[in-house]
Amino acid sequence: MAEQEASGLQVLLHTLQTSSDKESILTILKVLGDLLSVGTDRRIHYMISKGGSEALLQTLVDTARTAPPDYDILLPLFRLLAKVGLRDKKIGQKALELEALDVTLILARKNLSHGQNLLHCLWALRVFASSVSMGAMLGINGAMELLFKVITPYTRKRTRAIRAATEVLAALLKSKSNSRRAVNRGYVTSLLRLHQDWHGHDTANTYVHVRRGLLLCLRHIASLQSGREAFLAAQGMEILFNTTQNCLDDKSMEPVISVVLQILRRCYPKSPLPLVTASSAYAFPVPGSITSEPPHDLLEEDFEDDGEEEVDKDSDSEDGKVEDDDLETDVDKLSSKPGLDRPEEELKQYEAMCPELSCSSEELESKPGDDLNPEKTEFANHHHILTAAFSKQHCFNKDQSSCGQEREDAVRSSLLCMVKTGRSTAYPGSKRKPVVNPYQNMQSNHLGRDSSESEIPDIQDSPKVAAWDIDAIFCQRMGASFSNPSRTGETVKVIDKLLQTHLKRVPFHDPYLYMSKARRTSSVVDFKMMAFPDLWGHCPPPATQPMLERKCGVQRIRIFEDIRRLIQPSDVISKVVFSLDEPWPLQDGASNCLKFFSKFESGNLRKAIQVREFEYDLLVNADVNSTQHQQWFYFRVSGMQAAIPYRFNIINCEKPNSQFNYGMQPTLYSVKEALLGRPTWIRTGYEICYYENHYRQSRAAAGGVSGKCYYTLSFAVSFPHNEDVCYLAYHYPYTYTALMTHLDILEKSVNLKEVYFRQDVLCQTLGGNPCPLVTITAMPESNSNEHLEQFRHRPYQVITARVHPGESNASWVMKGTLEFLVSSDPVARLLRENFIFKIIPMLNPDGVINGNHRCSLSGEDLNRQWLSPSAHLQPTIYHAKGLLYHLSSIGRSPVVFCDFHGHSQKKNVFLYGCSIKETLWQAGCTVGTSILEDVNYRTLPKILDKLAPAFTMSSCSFLVEKSRASTARVVVWREIGVSRSYTMESSYCGCNQGPYQGLQFGTRELEEMGAMFCLGLLILELKSASCSHQLLAQAATLLSAEEEALDQHLQRCSSRSGSIPLELEDEPACMEEVVYSTDSRSEQERNLSELDRRIQECAFNKDEGEEEEEAPGQGGEAIP
């Protein structure tokens, strides 16, 4: 009965094992081969499920044990076994149990002189060795010794068997025990000699795969410390480096060069960074903290070099591809609303920050803060809080009109005219024309024209000093220059003359006011200088710059240059030319090297080392009171020659990958260009790559985890002028002083009869800087009670930014938001008349001031402190949360809360929100009917997807992760109950979709996004069920001339018009893969599929072109 029910396949397999008739066996093997050679792998997997592998292995053992072994059966049997074994993950274990492992080894030994038989045995061994444990077993049984008898120096005979042998050996060496055995037996030297021999003789690159196989063996051995030591002792670095230098541009050598690179990177001796300590060069005494032991110097034993690739744990990029095990699946934690984290009576102190809720018409008409002295008024509970408004300083500028009550001149067309067209709010109607180099048409005689085509006087017509002297004199803090009376008059004259002859007016900026504000900015090391770009101002370039096209081979050239330094150290200058850790001056004025400086607000450069005449290794400073978070850089460089390619290698970056690998460029500001009327930060640099280097973090720096990697950002820059002063930065800088200057100018620019603009101090930071709180709304229509009530009952919108100091793009987005909200745009007017905006434009002033990338002065990531912030250690977060608590306690929770951030690893602009159901669905959990959720959290991102050229819905995510439980987005959602609580991420790079596709963000595009966000808030209100008829009527009037926009944005239905765009991948495929690991599953799959192809070819083609030395008998004895 069982035989009757058996399938045809099972009958064939049973007959194969029991038959002793040669013709029957060959027929069955042919039928099975034909069945499995067509169709998909499903047939093979079905055969495996029916015991096919066991049947083939048993037939192999039985046939091999006959006298003599019949190779007419064994060869097709080996081919079929290899084909099936490639898909059977347990093939090695099955072969061991059925003794096929030993049988195949014996057959291989008996056929060393018969290439065709040996080749088939090797194919089977390759499949068996796919399992590391079976590879170890083969190693114990002498397989490696056998293979070294097959792998000979260069020959044109039996090359297919030699190639197969190298691949089997590489598979065996994945076993650490086999690799140790290979080291102990001196195989590293043997493999290097074989590689040299084949490389030297194979001039036509005919046998690239043999050479690659030998290198794969070395790569696996190099996974062991002892293997790397043996490789270095055998001068492996020099051998591989020298053998590849003449073939880097040969595409046929790509399989060899890629493995060589992996070996060289793996074997490059790991070392600590060239720093005296892992801790920041700056230290700040945190109140109440216990003084820790001084950080020790980095020692060899502090790091190991076998560490796995690190995950970017402290990234706030909140990548949408969240690991499921990080998703919060506890429904109680997702849905419950925790109680207050402080006594309820403390919330009364925040009433002073919301005077709009209770003030009279007379109080509204008086200027906020005119009669308040912050030094005399303080709150009893928390010393960080000052009064409701801090004193305003008038401009130093003799022409008060530049920052007085007048509106800025920039003419804006209605924001609605620019929706999703790619037209900027600052330059209406202008089309995006990508510019490769905004400095390419510079005049050599230093004469130029500003954007208004007026001639700019020669720089040297000003006080006869060089550009760096202008920068040094002009950028001293006013307090520093005025402290020396002998220089005061000269300095003021220089400043006045420069401003009169060279200053191009920058909207919402005033250098005199900036200098005044800078004197009040408190830094850890008391900066004495100001950066010229921050003082002089920045105007966006006339056109957006395209992403840099990455050339293939850039990364490998840099890696080979790193190797060259190791093996040819005499070529390296290795001269320290700048260091925050060295008290004495390191730069000789007569020396032929660049001059560096970073001790100014937001500056970050710790050390500069001249490597070659035009190449420098740079190290950025860790965050204050931290040993980590090296990413942001901002420094001054001078003494350059024009049109000379200078290379900068920032060697202690921490993030595992960067948009610098995908088209992003650093930013540059030239003092001479600014004096010529072009005060502009531009994207610059070429031959850019970002890759893992040989430096390792100490255990102390890595929080006890050893082996964490550092990464190098390498880029070349050709400066526009000789003897210029230039500034280089990770992204467009935006300082705390720039913000305070901007807020004062904004306040003076508004029409006080129409716009309610109030500056308050949320609190004092640890460093003693006021954290500004801005309130923007419309003044009441009249003094009537009805209008005053409408004024007081407007719903709130709360926006924050810059909790992470290195995310300067968030400040540019915020700048666009602030300027739009006080503008005369009809959309802005409607927003002011219907909402009260509470804005905290910079949550981490201390971090911004001191050049941190991520943390505050306490060395903490403030966006991980929202669950239970401390009033003394995290005052800005404590009081921001307290303000939100206060609004919630009086029934005035914001309609939307949004925290502006920057994203280092994705393109475009997008939102992260919170959803219980989406989180549970993603985690594969059952979503009960008792879970109720307002789905309107998706409405705003959908609106922005329609409105903003830079925004994309496809990158948005609404998952709640355990690792984000203490972030602003999640805490405001859970504890304050704001369903529309978001993080808005703006890429450091640019867009890969929409009107800006292929372009890098400039400050104009970022500011535009801030304005578009405001428009999105208005459309959100218009689409809500609670929208008043009056607002709808006003919006209809506003849009009456824009019928298309009216039809698009005033639809009250929930469905979206048009089709949903296909989800875009985060990154397109790069021309050159950024590889950090030395092995990967995809590579194994490629190797096995290649083996499958060769087996298939062998079934139909006889080996031609190879001379086989056939011995009589072909291994005729039976195997015992």
Side-chain angles (χ1 to χ4, degrees), residues 6 18 146 165 293 306 333 391 602 703 720 751 758 878 907 1054 1106:
T18 57
L146 167 67
E293 295 181 7
D306 287 335
K333 289 184 178 180
S391 59
S602 294
N751 184 342
R758 179 185 178 91
Y878 183 88
K907 292 185 172 67
S1054 59
E1106 290 193 9

Side-chain angles (χ1 to χ4, degrees), residues 353-544:
M353 298 181 190
C354 304
E356 64 275 1
L357 296 179
S358 58
C359 59
S360 64
S361 58
E362 291 79 10
E363 291 171 322
L364 286 173
E365 290 173 359
S366 65
K367 186 177 178 181
D370 281 345
D371 302 320
L372 294 176
N373 185 342
E375 296 178 359
K376 294 182 180 179
T377 308
E378 60 182 26
F379 290 91
N381 289 338
H382 299 291
H383 67 276
H384 290 291
I385 297 185
L386 292 180
T387 57
F390 55 88
S391 59
K392 312 295 186 294
Q393 296 298 317
H394 294 287
C395 299
F396 270 27
N397 197 333
K398 298 171 184 177
D399 180 10
Q400 289 287 335
S401 64
S402 69
C403 59
Q405 296 290 333
E406 64 168 21
R407 290 288 303 157
E408 292 292 330
D409 293 339
V411 178
R412 293 179 182 268
S413 61
S414 172
L415 187 66
L416 287 171
C417 300
M418 303 159 198
V419 171
K420 276 292 187 186
T421 64
R423 285 161 40 192
S424 168
T425 57
Y427 291 83
S430 66
K431 277 195 172 183
R432 297 289 186 219
K433 294 181 180 178
V435 173
V436 176
N437 183 1
Y439 292 158
Q440 61 186 355
N441 296 320
M442 294 174 300
Q443 313 217 7
S444 59
N445 62 357
H446 299 281
L447 288 172
R449 295 179 179 274
D450 64 11
S451 59
S452 62
E453 297 300 316
S454 59
E455 189 172 289
I456 302 294
D458 193 310
I459 293 176
Q460 305 305 327
D461 289 343
S462 295
K464 295 186 177 180
V465 289
W468 63 84
D469 291 330
I470 291 174
D471 180 76
I473 294 172
F474 194 62
C475 293
Q476 291 185 53
R477 283 195 178 188
M478 294 298 288
S481 60
F482 288 164
S483 64
N484 186 347
S486 64
R487 295 193 60 187
T488 299
E490 177 187 351
T491 302
V492 172
K493 287 179 182 178
V494 170
I495 293 173
D496 285 343
K497 179 141 190 183
L498 284 171
L499 291 173
Q500 291 168 13
T501 57
H502 294 290
L503 182 64
K504 176 179 179 179
R505 186 166 174 271
V506 176
F508 296 103
H509 184 74
D510 178 4
Y512 286 97
L513 180 59
Y514 188 95
M515 284 188 282
S516 172
K517 291 291 183 182
R519 293 176 61 193
R520 300 171 178 271
T521 299
S522 176
S523 57
V524 170
V525 292
D526 192 20
F527 296 134
K528 301 297 184 185
M529 302 288 288
M530 293 175 286
F532 187 93
D534 305 322
L535 177 62
W536 197 259
H538 157 77
C539 287
T544 308

Side-chain angles (χ1 to χ4, degrees), residues 635-774:
F635 58 88
R636 187 182 75 192
V637 60
S638 60
M640 67 284 292
Q641 301 177 45
I644 294 291
Y646 289 88
R647 176 155 295 279
F648 300 102
N649 309 306
I650 301 177
I651 62 175
N652 64 333
C653 300
E654 282 193 348
K655 289 184 178 290
N657 205 347
S658 171
Q659 282 294 316
F660 284 118
N661 276 330
Y662 305 101
M664 176 177 162
Q665 296 170 284
T667 58
L668 177 141
Y669 190 105
S670 162
V671 171
K672 283 194 174 182
E673 280 296 301
L675 296 176
L676 290 170
R678 295 182 285 269
T680 300
W681 280 102
I682 64 162
R683 301 277 190 167
T684 193
Y686 51 93
E687 295 180 4
I688 299 175
C689 60
Y690 187 98
Y691 61 93
E692 181 187 324
N693 59 37
H694 64 280
Y695 294 108
R696 291 294 178 266
Q697 292 180 332
S698 69
R699 288 193 181 95
V705 179
S706 61
K708 286 184 67 174
C709 309
Y710 283 108
Y711 300 83
T712 292
L713 165 62
S714 181
F715 59 95
V717 174
S718 295
F719 294 102
H721 298 284
N722 283 320
E723 299 299 330
D724 196 0
V725 176
C726 292
Y727 291 78
L728 287 166
Y730 182 82
H731 194 69
Y732 307 100
Y734 191 96
T735 64
Y736 170 76
T737 302
L739 169 67
M740 302 306 284
T741 304
H742 186 229
L743 293 179
D744 267 21
I745 295 176
L746 277 181
E747 183 174 17
K748 293 178 174 66
S749 73
V750 300
N751 184 342
L752 296 178
K753 293 183 179 180
E754 296 180 0
V755 181
Y756 179 94
F757 184 101
R758 179 185 178 91
Q759 288 189 69
D760 293 286
V761 173
L762 177 70
C763 63
Q764 292 281 75
T765 67
L766 284 177
N769 295 289
C771 178
L773 168 67
V774 178

Side-chain angles (χ1 to χ4, degrees), residues 185-204:
R185 295 181 182 179
Y187 289 166
V188 172
T189 302
S190 301
L191 288 168
L192 283 169
R193 287 174 180 169
L194 286 167
H195 168 73
Q196 281 183 291
D197 186 68
W198 280 86
H199 180 84
H201 289 90
D202 184 24
T203 55

